Amino acid sequence: MPPPARRHRFEDQEAPRASIATILAGRALVNERLQSIEIAIDEHGRIHSLGKVRGGGPRHDVGDSVILPAATDLHVHLREPGGPAEAETIASGTIAAAAGGVALVGEMPNTRPPVTDPDVLREKESRVRGHAAVDVLLYASAGGARDLAALARVAGAFKLYLSPTTGIGSPPPPSEVPPLLEALGALGLPLSVHAEDPRLFGAGGAPKGLAEWDAYRPLRAERAALETLRSAPAALRLHVAHVTSASEIPSLRAQGVSFEVTPHHLLLSERSPLAAWGKVNPPLRSDAERAALWAAFQAGEVPCVASDHAPHPASDKDLPFPRAPSGVPGVETMLPLLLARVRAGELRLPTLVRAACDRPARWFGQPIGRIAPGHRAHLVVVDFRRRTRIEGRRLHSACGWTPFEGFEAIFPVEHYQDGVRIVEAGEYVGGPSGRVVRPEFAPGAAPG
Ligand code: DOR
Ligand code: ZN
């Protein structure tokens, strides 16, 4: 008869002494609950065990602060290669991410040249190595690629633009979208879609303000593009970028599609006094639409929040509205803005952590985003008493401005990457230790 299986209690999950490099102690969000706990981190930077650790490495108690998993931002534009460097570089944008509690960014392919072949992707990889402060997953462009299978072997995910936007002149014609989705479904990589149907964009005159921009690229263009995506094969790990329409959320959920909303669509509207500094694709919507999106987010109906960090030089955003480029920065402010909403009692902490940390990491197939044994120790420490006001000139992005000037925020006081501190007392102290990561899906695992 085999011996009875040894039952491990929580506290029993102890590592052999030598392999524990650090112990973090304090209140941590584990299994969606704040619990007083010790987190043992092994020499490879993985969370080894949770509970009372006897012996082991140096112990750091965070006191009254709270330990959370660091965030994953599925949607950033680091503008490299091709620039402009006054907007961002891989170094500046990932330092901004680190300071904002983001451990992993998904870097979009609308750089110059666009990432439509494996050589361009590899060149981008070499720019990340030795320069990035946090981990980077590189998207390849599904539109305009000659050999999708070759790209799928090197990229981390695909991006498909259904409408023109910065760096994207001509999206694939609508008739080519269903076969493209079919082909992508067979390749196994996640696909994020910019869902606006340009056939429904207003013709004629140049919009001169945010309300006119909303009318020019209206909600119905987003709805029409989402309709096109209903033909997607079930095998495709489909994700819709920057959803702005709360009324589409029930059907996206029913379809089992992943999607993100952005902090700017949650917190800003076409009535915000930003002029072209708030010009973005898809546009900021009416305040009623924004409020409905926020209500859905609060209710936990939105799987992911992502910044769509799209910096442009201040001199370009200062141009007359029709000539100013679309896009706003946001990777550094995403988590801090939403932590301030938690502190204000408007958002539950587990809802935020699910949307900013856990679900995005799962969609990227990464063992991060939860405080759980086996996960990489990408963690942040937050002191909810340390409220500040956002100032663009103090942020780390090269662009030097933010659409959230003066908004209340709570920046992490510490950020650990694989158990090593890269932000200390709110200051970035790391080096270029970010890695290029690719999805680690179990073979045959279902999308979602
Ligand atoms: O506003 C936007 N800016 N939307 C996009 O889709 C692209 C982005 C950029 O790269 O600037
Ligand atoms: Zn984008």
Side-chain angles (χ1 to χ4, degrees):
M1 204 170 68
R6 182 151 176 245
R7 303 233 343 248
H8 284 270
R9 284 186 312 130
F10 208 38
E11 307 88 274
D12 286 343
Q13 300 176 4
E14 196 185 329
R17 250 162 222 234
S19 70
I20 296 180
T22 326
I23 298 161
L24 268 187
R27 280 183 308 144
L29 195 77
V30 178
N31 295 330
E32 308 219 325
R33 274 196 314 122
L34 275 181
Q35 324 187 16
S36 285
I37 214 162
E38 293 193 346
I39 303 170
I41 300 168
D42 74 17
E43 61 207 336
H44 308 294
R46 296 257 171 180
I47 297 176
H48 180 277
S49 50
L50 304 174
K52 216 81 227 90
V53 182
R54 288 178 285 275
R59 186 175 181 283
H60 172 56
D61 195 321
V62 304
D64 291 331
S65 297
V66 167
I67 308 169
L68 304 175
T72 289
D73 189 343
L74 296 176
H75 193 156
V76 309
H77 300 265
L78 299 179
R79 308 296 189 213
E80 208 181 321
E86 316 95 88
E88 205 67 286
T89 62
I90 287 169
S92 62
T94 54
I95 289 173
V102 172
L104 167 61
V105 295
E107 154 63 6
M108 287 296 169
N110 61 335
T111 31
R112 292 181 289 195
V115 184
T116 50
D117 77 65
D119 289 343
V120 177
L121 192 121
R122 286 207 190 86
E123 202 268 334
K124 212 175 199 182
E125 263 184 13
S126 69
R127 288 170 178 268
V128 169
R129 295 207 178 96
H131 295 97
V134 300
D135 293 341
V136 179
L137 181 143
L138 295 172
Y139 284 88
S141 178
R146 263 180 302 120
D147 188 346
L148 285 176
L151 264 173
R153 284 192 285 276
V154 288
F158 281 108
K159 177 73 183 274
L160 177 61
Y161 290 90
L162 296 179
S163 69
T165 188
T166 311
I168 304 293
S170 48
S175 62
E176 283 177 21
V177 172
L180 189 54
L181 297 177
E182 201 63 46
L184 290 163
L187 295 173
L189 281 194
L191 170 72
S192 172
V193 179
H194 181 120
E196 287 185 284
D197 186 334
R199 292 172 297 180
L200 294 169
F201 290 175
K208 288 179 294 299
L210 291 177
E212 288 177 28
W213 191 239
D214 176 18
Y216 183 81
R217 297 177 75 123
L219 270 173
R220 61 179 184 283
E222 179 171 307
R223 296 200 179 109
L226 292 177
E227 200 51 51
T228 313
L229 295 177
R230 287 194 213 289
S231 67
L236 183 63
R237 295 177 196 278
L238 177 61
H239 174 93
V240 183
H242 39 51
V243 169
T244 66
S245 167
S247 60
E248 290 300 313
I249 289 177
S251 67
L252 286 166
R253 282 161 62 87
Q255 242 186 299
V257 170
S258 174
F259 60 96
E260 78 203 19
V261 300
T262 69
H264 48 275
H265 293 116
L266 288 172
L267 301 173
L268 305 173
S269 78
E270 64 190 20
R271 290 175 47 199
S272 303
L274 290 165
W277 300 87
K279 185 180 180 186
V280 63
N281 300 330
L284 299 178
R285 303 300 187 189
S286 69
D287 205 50
E289 210 46 70
R290 181 207 61 75
L293 199 65
W294 176 254
F297 187 68
Q298 261 181 330
E301 289 161 10
V302 173
C304 302
V305 61
S307 71
D308 192 2
H309 175 77
H312 293 280
S315 53
D316 287 358
K317 289 297 266 186
D318 210 22
L319 291 168
F321 197 96
R323 283 170 47 216
S326 290
V328 294
V331 68
E332 187 168 353
T333 48
M334 175 173 79
L335 195 62
L337 282 165
L338 294 171
L339 286 168
R341 297 301 91 211
V342 170
R343 150 90 204 223
E346 295 166 16
L347 185 64
R348 292 186 62 246
L349 184 60
T351 305
L352 171 58
V353 168
R354 220 179 302 134
C357 312
D358 183 42
R359 298 294 294 268
R362 238 116 299 287
W363 188 71
F364 269 167
Q366 296 303 306
I368 62 173
R370 288 183 194 174
I371 300 180
H375 274 222
R376 293 173 66 189
H378 284 358
L379 303 168
V380 292
V381 175
V382 173
D383 181 347
F384 277 97
R385 295 165 307 188
R386 280 192 33 159
R387 279 183 295 178
T388 50
R389 300 253 166 216
I390 292 175
E391 287 178 75
R393 62 183 183 85
R394 287 173 161 257
L395 297 173
H396 296 80
S397 170
C399 76
W401 63 276
T402 169
F404 300 108
E405 190 71 34
F407 277 55
E408 194 173 275
I410 299 176
F411 288 87
V413 282
E414 294 179 4
H415 182 160
Y416 290 81
Q417 177 185 64
D418 293 315
V420 175
R421 211 177 296 153
I422 60 171
V423 170
E424 220 170 77
E427 299 292 331
Y428 172 72
V429 295
S433 47
R435 306 184 195 167
V436 176
V437 300
R438 301 189 65 234
E440 300 173 22
F441 297 122

